[in-house]
Amino acid sequence: LLVSFFYIHIAGIEKHIIEANTSLADEIQKRKEIESELLAHRDNLEKTVRNRTAELEEINKHLHEENVERKKAEETIQQERDFSQASIDSLPGLFYLFDDQGRFLRTNKNFKKVSGYSADEISMMTPLDFFDETDKGNIAGAIQQVFQTGEATAEADFLSKDQTKTPYFFTGKLFQFNQKSCLIGMGIDITKRKNAEQLLVRLMAMLDATPDFVGFADAKDGKIFHINVGGRKMVGLGAQEDVTQLTISDVHPEWTNK
């Protein structure tokens, strides 16, 4: 009986050992499988990290190249702006650019010098602020004409900060700047021309005051362009008669070859 019990007990122990070994083998297999999966995940993760790192490096490379190109473009734009402003500042007259609301967008150094106003002051002003009441209507009409037809010119006295008036010939053309309709133009000082015109008027008045014949004609073809009052009376021409179609031979044939 004792022997039978011993064998039964041994058999039970063997069974438990076999089951334990089987369970342990299964656990080891599961762990190997998990370990294989973990290794596979690690390899995939490392591959993903390498690929992503490569992508980021490529992106950084492109960003660096774009940044370099952007800086070059900015430098080029700044150089063009500097060149443009230097060219504008080198102009002898007044340069101006303003929008359809009368806001100044660009002026040159000469504009500031002649006007006596600073850049900040000019930015708060309109074109009509540089003219007195006698010229504002004329200038306003010329500005309106530019925005309606594309260009215009005008003559007026430019009024400086110290109230000095200087005669100028102004030009204006329609110009698209930053997608806005603007007027661009120049003002040319015509003081010398005005002085010459006034001198000519005084000279012509003096010539008309003399009873003697005074006339002016082209030395090449003899075409007359002026005869004074006294001269007109001598040759029988009316005071308002056009003499520009006449020649010296028409007035006095004997003077033709003299």
Side-chain angles (χ1 to χ4, degrees):
L1 183 60
L2 289 173
V3 172
S4 297
F5 177 77
F6 178 75
Y7 279 113
I8 291 172
H9 181 67
I10 291 299
I13 291 173
E14 287 179 349
K15 181 180 179 181
H16 284 300
I17 289 173
I18 292 171
E19 291 176 351
N21 285 337
T22 301
S23 177
L24 181 61
D26 292 340
E27 183 67 23
I28 291 172
Q29 183 63 34
K30 288 180 180 180
R31 289 188 177 184
K32 285 183 177 179
E33 292 174 357
I34 291 173
E35 184 177 345
S36 295
E37 289 180 2
L38 288 174
L39 289 173
H41 283 306
R42 185 197 67 184
D43 292 341
N44 288 335
L45 181 59
E46 288 179 350
K47 183 179 179 180
T48 301
V49 169
R50 285 195 302 271
N51 292 338
R52 186 55 180 165
T53 299
E55 290 176 1
L56 290 174
E57 288 176 350
E58 188 66 21
I59 291 172
N60 286 334
K61 179 183 177 181
H62 286 306
L63 287 174
H64 176 71
E65 291 174 351
E66 288 177 0
N67 188 47
V68 171
E69 290 299 321
R70 180 179 58 81
K71 286 183 177 180
K72 288 182 179 179
E74 289 176 350
E75 290 175 357
T76 300
I77 292 173
Q78 187 60 48
Q79 289 175 354
E80 291 177 352
R81 286 177 178 171
D82 291 343
F83 175 77
S84 175
Q85 189 61 47
S87 299
I88 290 170
D89 286 337
S90 68
L91 296 174
L94 308 179
F95 174 86
Y96 40 84
L97 172 68
F98 54 85
D99 62 19
D100 55 2
Q101 300 300 311
R103 289 187 292 263
F104 282 98
L105 305 176
R106 189 80 66 86
T107 59
N108 63 348
K109 288 183 178 179
N110 207 38
F111 191 102
K112 301 174 186 67
K113 179 181 178 181
V114 174
S115 70
Y117 292 100
S118 67
D120 290 338
E121 289 174 318
I122 293 173
S123 68
M124 303 298 291
M125 301 172 71
T126 68
L128 296 184
D129 292 330
F130 296 94
F131 303 92
D132 65 15
E133 295 301 324
T134 59
D135 286 322
K136 282 186 178 180
N138 179 32
I139 294 300
I143 292 173
Q144 184 178 14
Q145 184 179 344
V146 170
F147 286 104
Q148 289 179 345
T149 67
E151 62 181 321
T153 60
E155 288 187 16
D157 288 336
F158 187 76
L159 185 64
S160 300
K161 189 175 184 179
D162 62 2
Q163 300 304 300
T164 299
K165 294 181 181 180
T166 307
Y168 269 83
F169 175 76
F170 296 98
T171 66
K173 288 185 70 68
L174 192 62
F175 180 69
Q176 293 297 316
F177 183 73
N178 289 339
Q179 299 181 341
K180 294 178 64 177
S181 294
C182 299
L183 185 152
I184 187 171
M186 280 190 62
I188 304 298
D189 187 339
I190 56 174
T191 301
K192 291 183 178 180
R193 195 199 79 187
K194 286 290 186 180
N195 290 339
E197 289 176 352
Q198 292 174 5
L199 179 61
L200 180 61
V201 169
R202 291 196 296 270
L203 176 61
M204 299 307 291
M206 292 172 60
L207 294 177
D208 283 339
T210 179
D212 298 326
F213 183 98
V214 179
F216 299 94
D218 191 308
K220 292 182 178 179
D221 56 19
K223 283 189 175 182
I224 297 171
F225 53 86
H226 179 75
I227 298 177
N228 71 336
V229 175
R232 286 171 179 268
K233 290 180 179 180
M234 286 183 181
V235 295
L237 295 172
Q240 302 301 322
E241 191 170 344
D242 183 14
V243 299
T244 59
Q245 302 302 315
L246 302 176
T247 64
I248 295 175
S249 61
D250 295 324
V251 175
H252 203 302
E254 295 180 4
W255 294 349
T256 302
N257 297 320
K258 293 183 179 181

